[in-house]
Amino acid sequence: MTRRDFIRKWLVYALGLLPVWLLDAYILPRYPLYGASPMLLPLAAAAVAVLEGAYSGTGFGLGVGLLWELAYPGGFGGLVFFLALAGMAMGAVSQYALSQSFPGCFICSAGVVGLLELLRVARGLLTNAAPLSALLEAAAPEFLWSLAWTPLVWLLFRYIYNRVGGTKLA
């Protein structure tokens, strides 16, 4: 792959992230389901990590985490490192243990969104923000609503991968 192809590929992935981010930031929060808005950015990081592998998943996760921290108020910088590590882990798991397919992406997405929800619940418990039952009542619908968007995100990034990323997937 030439440098020009490499730059084009990641530019197209970044452009593919744009509609996901617009949905995540501006459209879906206006229509919460059971009071929960889905998190689509971790799904995008999972999809690209599954398709591209550990190294590329790390870089894309770093970029997605940076976008997340800069676009949403109240961040502390931890999501940049979390999504970079998650991208590396999901890319490695999909390369060596799972297949680079939708079921593999769904498992990786469930893992990263579940871990994010557990960290949010733990932070809420440590800061005495709410009792455990209330935190879980908020986390469970958000987790499930986020996973419901996995097929759409997967199809978008698989299409991009088939066009610019690599070999055709079944």
Side-chain angles (χ1 to χ4, degrees), residues 1-22:
M1 177 177 281
T2 66
R3 181 186 306 216
R4 183 177 179 170
D5 292 338
F6 183 79
I7 291 170
R8 180 178 174 266
K9 174 175 97 167
W10 289 106
L11 180 63
V12 173
Y13 273 125
L15 290 173
L17 184 62
L18 185 63
V20 173
W21 174 64
L22 290 174

